Amino acid sequence: MITNGADGLLVIGDDELNDTRCGACGSLLFSVVRDGAYVHVALGSLADAPSIRPSCHIFVGSKAPWFEITDDLPQFEEHAR
């Protein structure tokens, strides 16, 4: 639920499936998915450090060839099984 600043957002989609972006610069802030059951938050949009950390890398089969994964987390070509 947005409590302040909703008029400055660009929402592409509807209440149950959307990408919500900054209306000024277009940066992705969050996406509502799975018929509104989940919200995927872009970590770069958070003011504080996240309280959970990644446990693996998914879809590495389609990552940019110049991006190097430099940690020891498990990697999956597609979605983690």
Side-chain angles (χ1 to χ4, degrees):
M1 170 193 249
I2 304 294
T3 60
N4 191 3
D7 57 334
L9 298 176
L10 173 62
V11 180
I12 302 166
D14 57 37
D15 288 344
E16 293 185 353
L17 181 65
N18 70 60
D19 285 337
T20 299
R21 298 177 173 274
C22 171
C25 72
S27 293
L28 179 67
L29 302 173
F30 61 88
S31 298
V32 177
V33 299
R34 297 188 184 178
D35 298 322
Y38 293 92
V39 176
H40 294 172
V41 178
L43 293 181
S45 68
L46 300 177
D48 298 322
S51 60
I52 58 173
R53 304 311 260 178
S55 59
C56 66
H57 298 280
I58 58 174
F59 300 108
V60 299
S62 60
K63 72 174 184 57
W66 48 260
F67 183 78
E68 182 180 350
I69 298 173
T70 59
D71 59 40
D72 294 329
L73 293 176
Q75 297 181 25
F76 297 91
E77 289 292 308
E78 293 183 357
H79 202 284
R81 305 260 184 245

